Amino acid sequence: MDNMKSTMIKSLYRQAQDYVNKDITISGWVKTLRDSKTFGFIEVNDGSFFKNLQIVFEEGNIPNFKEVTKMPVGSSIIVCGKLVETPNAKQPFELKASSIQIEGLSTPDYPLQKKRHTFEYLRTIAHLRPRTNTFSAVFRIRSLAAYAIHKFFQERGFVYVHTPIITGSDAEGAGQMFRVSTLDLNNLPRTEEGAVDFSQDFFGKETNLTVSGQLEGETYCMAFRNVYTFGPTFRAENSNTARHAAEFWMVEPEIAFSDLQDDMELAEDMLKFIINYCMENAPEEMAFFNSFVDNTLFERLNNIVNSKFAHVTYTEAVELLKKDKDKFEYPVEWGADLQTEHERYLTEQIFKKPVFVTDYPKDIKAFYMRMNDDNKTVAAMDLLVPGVGEIIGGSQREERLDYLEKRMDEMGLHKDDYWWYMDLRKYGGTKHAGFGLGFERAIMYITGMSNIRDVVSFPRTVNTAEF
Amino acid sequence: MDNMKSTMIKSLYRQAQDYVNKDITISGWVKTLRDSKTFGFIEVNDGSFFKNLQIVFEEGNIPNFKEVTKMPVGSSIIVCGKLVETPNAKQPFELKASSIQIEGLSTPDYPLQKKRHTFEYLRTIAHLRPRTNTFSAVFRIRSLAAYAIHKFFQERGFVYVHTPIITGSDAEGAGQMFRVSTLDLNNLPRTEEGAVDFSQDFFGKETNLTVSGQLEGETYCMAFRNVYTFGPTFRAENSNTARHAAEFWMVEPEIAFSDLQDDMELAEDMLKFIINYCMENAPEEMAFFNSFVDNTLFERLNNIVNSKFAHVTYTEAVELLKKDKDKFEYPVEWGADLQTEHERYLTEQIFKKPVFVTDYPKDIKAFYMRMNDDNKTVAAMDLLVPGVGEIIGGSQREERLDYLEKRMDEMGLHKDDYWWYMDLRKYGGTKHAGFGLGFERAIMYITGMSNIRDVVSFPRTVNTAEF
C-alpha cells in the first residue's frame, strides 16, 4: 500500500538496494528531533515498521527550517529527499531532506515524551500507547499471530466458522455470562406471575454473550470435517487478575474422524507454527521483547519450537507431584484440579518442556468429554508450557449418545436445550476432538508481557470499559 | 491434515496421479447408497471438498456387505480400497472397497434425504444444513472470503486490530444498541433518585455491543498507518428483512496519509481480490452457484473483476437520476439519501458496472466525515454494485479539530465522550480515510444467495436466536 505515493520505511529496510541514492517520499510521525544552528535530525516512524528512519535536514535546503525545528514530538510530516547510506553510523542509511511538509502538529504536552512510562499509566491512554515501542511491538505481533492462525488452518483445508456471539444456550453448562437485552430497565415487562417477561425481549427469549463456540463448531465439524472458530468470547467473572479479561478472543479447532492423539498433534503443530511465524515475520519486535521485556523469551520459545512435547496422564502426573509435595502450597490429590503451581512444576521442573497432561478425572471436566474405558477419567488434555502453565485445553468429544445423555443427566443439564447437539450423535456421528487456545494468553506467552491488559487494544475487565 | 491417516477426497481430485491404483483409506459421510444383490455404490463426502467420491463394493470383498447395504443416508464410514480410474464414467475415478467400517450409523428419519428442501426449512435445522450442497458451498466460500480479506490486508502490511465488542461509547452517535449487563433484573440497584444504578453493573457503567470498530480503529491507524478490523458488530434494529441481521461481521480498514481517492482504490482492489480468491480456490462451489442459485453470477462477478469502477459525485448522480425520475417510486432530491432503487439504477442502468458515488450532503452523513470546501458536502463514498446497490461505505475522516468539534456540536454529541477521538487530531493528526464492508452482504453478493439468514451459521434476527 503506497498511501499518497509514500514509500514505506519497511521497504527501505528490507530492500535498501532499491532505494539508495534515489529520491523518495516518506510520511510518518516524529519520534525525536534535535537540531543545532544550521541542521538537524529527526527520527520518523511511519507505522509500517518497528524501526525509525533518520532524516537529516539543513537550513540551506529547507525553506521552513525554523518551523521544522520547533515541531513537538508526535507531529506528522511528509518528507522528500535522497536516501543515502551511512556506513559508519548506527543506522544503515538516512534521508537527506529536500523538503519537509508538516502534516499535523502535535503539542508540547503530548503525553508520549522520550521518558519511560509505566504500563499502568499507558493503559489510561490506550488510544496513544500503540505509538510506543513496546505496544507497537505487542500489537504488531498480535496481528501477525492472528494471521498465522488463519494461515495454519486454511493451508490445511480447515473451514473457518463464525459461531454466534449472542447465544440462547449456555455452551459449557457453567460460566458466568453477560446478558444481552433491549428491554427497558425502567419499565420491565412482567409475566402474570411477576417474572421478567423475556418473550418481549429482542430475541423473544433470554440471551447472553457466548463463552465458547465449541458446541456450534461441532455442528460444522460434522459437515466439513476440519473446522475452526476464531472470535471473541466473554466471561462475567469477577476476577481482577493479570490473566483474566471479560472479553477475549479464542481459537477453537474441531476435527472429525480424530481422537485425542490427533488433537494433541494438531495443537503442537499449531503452536509451533504461530511462534515460528512471529519470529520470522517480526524479528525486530521479537528481539525487542527478548532485550527489554523478558530475557528468557528466546530460550523459552526456542525450547517450544524445537521440543517434541511430552505426554503424561493426569494420574501419572499426580504421582510425580506427590513425590515433591512439600514444595507446594496446595495439596496434590487425585480427583482435584491441578493448581498453577503444580502445572508449572510439571512443565518447568520435571519435564523442562511443554507437556500434555491427559485423561483427567471426569468430575473436574465438562460433560462433552469422552469417557475413557476406566469409567473414571475422560479423554481430556491440557497443554502446559514453561513460564505460564496451561495454555491450551481440549478433549476428544463424547460421540456415543447414550454416554453423553448419562453425563448430562448426572450433571443436571437440561437435555432439551441441547437437542441439536445430541442430533450430531444420532445422524452419522464420528470420533472427533478439539481444543481451545486463549488468544491473549498466547500473545502474552509469545511477547513476554505479563498483564492481559497490555495485549488487548482496549481491555474490558471488572469496572473497566473505557474508550 | 490427515485425520487418523485418511486421505482427503480433495487431494484425490486435485492430485489424482498420486493416488490412482494405490490403496488408500478415506472417511466421510454417506450421501447416497444404492445396491443390487451382490454389489453397490456409495457416494461419500468427507467435508474436505465439494464433490463426493464414489465407492464400489462387492459382496465377495466386504464381509459386512448386508450391514453396509442397510446404512441410512448420513452414516459415517471409513473405507479402505484401491482408487481406479473410470474413463467412461461421469466421475474420473472410484474407490474399489476392500473394507467398509461403519463409524456411526444415521437413522432412517435423517432429515436430509435426497429430495430438495426449502431454505426456510433448512434454517430450522441450521446445525445440519452445512451438509447440503448449497450450504456446504456457502460456508466454504464464507471461510475462503474471510481468509482472502486477511491475506489481502496482511500482504499489504496492514495491522489487524481487535477493537472491543463491549463498548461504553456509541461509535456512530446513532444506531440502536444491545445492552450488556450482569445486573439482576429482579433486584435492580437504584440511585437515590430512583434511576437504575449502572455504577453497580459489571463495568461500573452502562455498556452496549459495538455497532462499529471504526473510531477505535482510527486510534491504531495513527500508530500503524494502515490497519483493519474484522469482527462482529451488532444492530438492535427491528428490521425483519432479507438483508438485516442483528449480529453480523464487518471489515473496516483505515489508512493514514490518505484521502478519499486512496480509500476508493483500496476498496476496489480489495473487492476484486476477494472475488478472484473465491473463484480460484473454490471453482466447484462457484460453478454450483452459477448453475443452481443465480445464473447471472459469473457475468456479474466477471464484470466487477474486469471493470475499472466508475466514479460520480452525489450531486451529478442526482442530476442523472432526475432525468429518469418517472422510473422511481421515491422522489430524487438533492439532500435526501438515495434509495436502493436509485442506487441500482445508477449502477445497473446508467453505468452498467460498479460505481463510487462521492461527496454526499453533510446532513445525511456521520459527524466524522471530512467537510469539503463547499461546506455543504463531505468526502464520503458509497460503492454501488449491480444486483445489490450499496456494498461498501466509507469516507475521508475529518482531521481538523475545529471542523470536527463544530460538527459534533451541530449534531448534539457529547464531546466529553470522545476525548480520546479528539486527541488523535491534537497529537500529530494526518489525513486519513477508511470504509466498512458488511461481510455477509459481500458473501450474498459472491454466492448469489438472497437472504442474509442463509449466509450466517446461526442467524440472529428479531425473535430468533436459536442454537
Side-chain angles (χ1 to χ4, degrees):
Chain A
M1 181 82 199
D2 272 10
N3 315 55
M4 302 186 87
K5 317 307 166 223
S6 291
T7 300
M8 296 295 113
I9 291 177
K10 181 175 184 179
S11 303
L12 304 184
Y13 276 92
R14 291 281 187 257
Q15 295 119 35
Q17 68 286 359
D18 294 350
Y19 298 100
V20 164
N21 294 325
K22 296 207 173 120
D23 283 314
I24 59 170
T25 301
I26 68 100
S27 44
W29 291 272
V30 175
K31 294 285 155 180
T32 66
L33 186 154
R34 61 208 153 87
D35 68 286
S36 59
K37 271 209 175 86
T38 57
F39 63 97
F41 299 97
I42 304 172
E43 294 271 333
V44 175
N45 190 286
D46 75 349
S48 73
F49 195 56
F50 187 66
K51 290 189 176 175
N52 303 324
L53 174 66
Q54 174 156 295
I55 313 287
V56 198
F57 61 102
E58 293 181 38
E59 187 168 24
N61 300 333
I62 307 286
N64 56 346
F65 181 84
K66 272 274 166 281
E67 203 189 343
V68 165
T69 58
K70 287 179 185 147
M71 286 189 302
V73 170
S75 299
S76 56
I77 55 176
I78 300 172
V79 185
C80 299
K82 184 176 280 184
L83 192 73
V84 294
E85 289 181 295
T86 51
N88 301 317
K90 184 176 66 163
Q91 72 282 359
F93 40 67
E94 62 189 19
L95 187 66
K96 283 200 179 304
S98 56
S99 80
I100 297 180
Q101 177 193 329
I102 299 173
E103 163 86 357
L105 281 174
S106 183
T107 67
D109 67 342
Y110 182 56
L112 298 174
Q113 302 295 333
K114 197 152 171 82
K115 79 181 200 63
R116 253 184 184 278
H117 298 284
T118 65
F119 290 164
E120 288 75 14
Y121 169 68
L122 291 172
R123 280 175 216 145
T124 68
I125 49 169
H127 61 311
L128 301 176
R129 66 177 176 168
R131 305 177 185 197
T132 66
N133 282 339
T134 304
F135 291 94
S136 160
V138 166
F139 289 105
R140 199 185 309 275
I141 291 293
R142 184 174 170 125
S143 170
L144 290 171
Y147 186 54
I149 286 164
H150 285 296
K151 197 173 165 72
F152 174 83
F153 287 116
Q154 294 270 344
E155 287 178 354
R156 281 157 187 75
F158 281 60
V159 167
Y160 178 30
V161 190
H162 290 132
T163 49
I165 309 300
I166 298 172
T167 175
S169 68
D170 177 349
E172 304 211 330
Q176 288 174 282
M177 298 174 92
F178 289 102
R179 180 183 298 107
V180 174
S181 173
T182 55
L183 290 180
D184 178 357
L185 294 187
N186 288 311
N187 193 12
L188 282 173
R190 301 277 176 184
T191 62
E192 283 182 19
E193 293 77 35
V196 175
D197 184 4
F198 286 107
S199 75
Q200 295 189 42
D201 208 344
F202 188 90
F203 295 109
K205 63 174 179 177
E206 199 169 352
T207 53
N208 295 290
L209 291 179
T210 185
V211 298
S212 160
Q214 179 201 317
L215 302 198
E216 287 92 352
E218 284 187 49
T219 67
Y220 273 60
C221 175
M222 290 296 117
F224 288 112
R225 180 185 206 103
N226 294 331
V227 301
Y228 69 109
T229 71
F230 186 9
T233 49
F234 305 84
R235 297 285 153 80
E237 277 162 28
N238 203 333
S239 338
N240 210 350
T241 82
R243 287 168 55 80
H244 289 87
E247 175 180 324
F248 57 99
W249 284 61
M250 191 136 71
V251 184
E252 295 179 286
E254 194 74 30
I255 48 179
F257 296 101
S258 297
D259 58 19
L260 194 66
Q261 190 59 44
D262 296 307
D263 203 32
M264 291 189 284
E265 281 174 25
L266 182 68
E268 181 169 344
D269 290 349
M270 181 196 71
L271 201 58
K272 290 175 174 176
F273 185 93
I274 300 170
I275 293 170
N276 278 326
Y277 190 85
C278 292
M279 303 268 251
E280 282 164 21
N281 287 277
E284 289 81 6
E285 282 84 351
M286 293 303 292
F288 171 85
F289 289 123
N290 193 59
S291 298
F292 297 106
V293 175
D294 176 359
N295 287 137
T296 68
L297 185 68
F298 279 173
E299 189 191 328
R300 197 155 46 75
L301 296 182
N302 285 327
N303 178 251
I304 291 214
V305 168
N306 299 319
S307 298
K308 184 85 193 100
F309 295 3
H311 295 255
V312 64
T313 67
Y314 167 90
T315 303
E316 292 160 353
V318 166
E319 289 310 309
L320 291 169
L321 291 167
K322 275 185 170 171
K323 287 184 190 155
D324 292 326
K325 63 173 178 244
D326 48 337
K327 296 222 167 72
F328 307 120
E329 185 185 345
Y330 293 92
V332 184
E333 205 54 60
W334 198 99
D337 223 343
L338 299 179
Q339 300 295 321
T340 300
E341 59 171 346
H342 307 141
E343 293 177 339
R344 293 189 59 166
Y345 192 82
L346 279 168
T347 181
E348 291 166 13
Q349 304 301 322
I350 300 183
F351 290 95
K352 298 187 198 315
K353 63 178 181 177
V355 56
F356 287 105
V357 180
T358 62
D359 305 297
Y360 283 79
K362 65 176 181 181
D363 292 332
I364 57 171
K365 289 290 182 184
F367 75 93
Y368 50 72
M369 298 190 178
R370 191 178 196 275
M371 188 67 70
N372 286 327
D373 291 344
D374 62 13
N375 268 312
K376 289 191 301 191
T377 60
V378 289
M381 62 91 160
D382 281 357
L383 175 61
L384 315 180
V385 291
V388 166
E390 187 202 327
I391 192 166
I392 284 174
S395 68
Q396 187 171 337
R397 318 308 189 184
E398 185 57 81
E399 85 280 13
R400 298 161 298 185
L401 184 58
D402 49 346
Y403 280 83
L404 183 69
E405 290 188 311
K406 185 157 172 279
R407 286 299 289 153
M408 293 173 85
D409 286 339
E410 283 172 10
M411 297 175 81
L413 300 181
H414 297 104
K415 282 187 287 190
D416 290 352
D417 297 344
Y418 297 85
W419 65 274
W420 50 274
Y421 189 68
M422 295 194 293
D423 266 5
L424 303 179
R425 280 72 185 164
K426 282 182 202 155
Y427 301 132
T430 77
K431 282 187 193 58
H432 64 293
F435 64 80
L437 168 74
F439 185 58
E440 281 75 10
R441 296 223 178 142
I443 301 303
M444 291 166 71
Y445 195 67
I446 295 171
T447 60
M449 298 295 286
S450 54
N451 195 309
I452 196 167
R453 292 167 183 78
D454 296 328
V455 300
V456 177
S457 63
F458 298 98
R460 272 71 182 103
T461 55
V462 183
N463 282 319
T464 307
E466 301 310 310
F467 304 97
Chain B
M1 180 82 198
D2 272 11
N3 315 56
M4 301 187 88
K5 317 306 166 222
S6 290
T7 299
M8 296 295 113
I9 291 177
K10 180 175 185 178
S11 305
L12 304 184
Y13 276 92
R14 291 281 188 258
Q15 296 120 33
Q17 67 287 359
D18 294 350
Y19 299 99
V20 164
N21 294 323
K22 295 203 175 125
D23 283 313
I24 59 171
T25 301
I26 66 101
S27 44
W29 291 272
V30 175
K31 294 285 155 178
T32 66
L33 186 154
R34 61 210 153 86
D35 67 286
S36 60
K37 270 211 174 85
T38 58
F39 64 96
F41 299 96
I42 304 172
E43 294 271 332
V44 175
N45 189 286
D46 75 349
S48 72
F49 195 57
F50 187 66
K51 290 188 175 176
N52 303 324
L53 174 66
Q54 175 155 293
I55 312 287
V56 198
F57 61 102
E58 293 181 37
E59 186 167 23
N61 300 334
I62 308 286
N64 55 346
F65 181 85
K66 271 274 165 288
E67 203 188 341
V68 166
T69 59
K70 286 180 187 147
M71 287 189 301
V73 170
S75 299
S76 56
I77 55 176
I78 300 171
V79 184
C80 300
K82 182 176 283 184
L83 192 73
V84 295
E85 288 181 294
T86 51
N88 301 315
K90 181 175 68 163
Q91 72 283 0
F93 41 66
E94 62 189 20
L95 188 66
K96 283 198 178 306
S98 57
S99 81
I100 298 179
Q101 177 194 329
I102 298 173
E103 164 85 357
L105 280 175
S106 184
T107 67
D109 67 344
Y110 182 54
L112 299 174
Q113 302 294 332
K114 196 151 171 83
K115 80 180 197 64
R116 252 184 185 280
H117 298 286
T118 65
F119 289 164
E120 288 76 12
Y121 169 68
L122 291 171
R123 281 175 216 146
T124 69
I125 50 169
H127 61 310
L128 302 176
R129 67 178 176 167
R131 305 177 185 197
T132 65
N133 282 339
T134 304
F135 290 95
S136 159
V138 165
F139 290 105
R140 198 184 309 274
I141 291 293
R142 184 174 168 123
S143 169
L144 291 170
Y147 186 54
I149 286 163
H150 285 296
K151 197 173 165 69
F152 175 83
F153 287 117
Q154 295 269 344
E155 288 179 352
R156 281 157 187 77
F158 282 60
V159 168
Y160 178 31
V161 190
H162 288 133
T163 49
I165 310 299
I166 297 172
T167 176
S169 68
D170 175 348
E172 304 211 331
Q176 288 174 282
M177 299 175 91
F178 290 100
R179 179 184 298 109
V180 174
S181 172
T182 56
L183 291 180
D184 179 357
L185 294 188
N186 288 311
N187 193 11
L188 282 173
R190 299 277 175 183
T191 63
E192 283 182 18
E193 294 77 32
V196 175
D197 184 5
F198 285 107
S199 75
Q200 296 190 43
D201 207 343
F202 188 90
F203 295 108
K205 62 175 179 175
E206 199 169 353
T207 53
N208 295 290
L209 291 179
T210 186
V211 298
S212 162
Q214 179 201 316
L215 302 198
E216 288 91 352
E218 284 186 49
T219 68
Y220 273 61
C221 175
M222 290 297 116
F224 289 112
R225 180 184 207 104
N226 295 330
V227 302
Y228 69 108
T229 71
F230 186 10
T233 50
F234 305 85
R235 298 282 152 83
E237 277 161 28
N238 203 334
S239 337
N240 210 350
T241 81
R243 286 168 57 79
H244 289 87
E247 175 181 325
F248 58 98
W249 284 61
M250 191 137 71
V251 183
E252 296 180 285
E254 195 75 30
I255 48 179
F257 296 99
S258 297
D259 58 18
L260 193 66
Q261 189 58 42
D262 295 308
D263 203 33
M264 290 189 283
E265 279 174 26
L266 182 69
E268 180 169 344
D269 289 350
M270 181 196 72
L271 202 57
K272 288 175 175 176
F273 185 92
I274 301 170
I275 293 170
N276 277 328
Y277 190 85
C278 291
M279 303 268 250
E280 281 163 22
N281 287 277
E284 290 80 6
E285 282 83 351
M286 293 303 292
F288 172 84
F289 289 124
N290 192 59
S291 298
F292 296 107
V293 174
D294 175 359
N295 286 138
T296 68
L297 185 68
F298 280 171
E299 189 191 328
R300 198 156 46 74
L301 296 181
N302 284 328
N303 178 248
I304 291 217
V305 169
N306 299 320
S307 299
K308 185 83 193 101
F309 294 4
H311 294 256
V312 64
T313 66
Y314 168 89
T315 303
E316 292 161 352
V318 166
E319 289 310 309
L320 290 170
L321 291 167
K322 274 186 170 170
K323 288 186 190 153
D324 291 325
K325 64 173 180 245
D326 49 335
K327 295 221 167 75
F328 306 120
E329 186 185 344
Y330 292 91
V332 185
E333 205 55 60
W334 199 99
D337 224 343
L338 299 179
Q339 301 295 320
T340 300
E341 59 171 346
H342 307 141
E343 293 177 340
R344 292 188 60 166
Y345 192 81
L346 279 168
T347 181
E348 291 168 13
Q349 303 301 322
I350 299 183
F351 290 95
K352 297 187 198 314
K353 63 179 180 176
V355 56
F356 287 105
V357 180
T358 63
D359 304 298
Y360 283 79
K362 65 177 181 180
D363 292 332
I364 57 172
K365 289 292 182 183
F367 75 93
Y368 50 71
M369 297 191 179
R370 191 178 196 274
M371 188 68 69
N372 286 327
D373 291 343
D374 62 12
N375 269 311
K376 288 191 301 189
T377 61
V378 289
M381 63 92 162
D382 282 357
L383 175 62
L384 314 181
V385 291
V388 166
E390 187 202 326
I391 193 166
I392 284 175
S395 69
Q396 188 170 336
R397 318 308 189 185
E398 185 57 79
E399 85 279 14
R400 298 162 299 185
L401 185 58
D402 49 346
Y403 280 84
L404 184 68
E405 289 188 312
K406 184 155 173 279
R407 285 300 288 153
M408 294 173 84
D409 286 338
E410 283 173 9
M411 297 174 81
L413 299 180
H414 297 103
K415 282 187 285 190
D416 289 353
D417 297 344
Y418 296 86
W419 65 273
W420 50 274
Y421 189 68
M422 296 194 293
D423 266 4
L424 302 180
R425 278 74 183 164
K426 281 182 201 154
Y427 301 132
T430 77
K431 283 188 192 57
H432 64 293
F435 64 80
L437 169 75
F439 184 58
E440 280 74 10
R441 295 221 179 144
I443 301 303
M444 290 167 72
Y445 195 67
I446 294 170
T447 60
M449 299 294 285
S450 55
N451 195 308
I452 197 167
R453 292 167 182 79
D454 296 328
V455 301
V456 177
S457 63
F458 299 99
R460 271 71 180 105
T461 55
V462 183
N463 283 319
T464 306
E466 300 310 310
F467 304 97

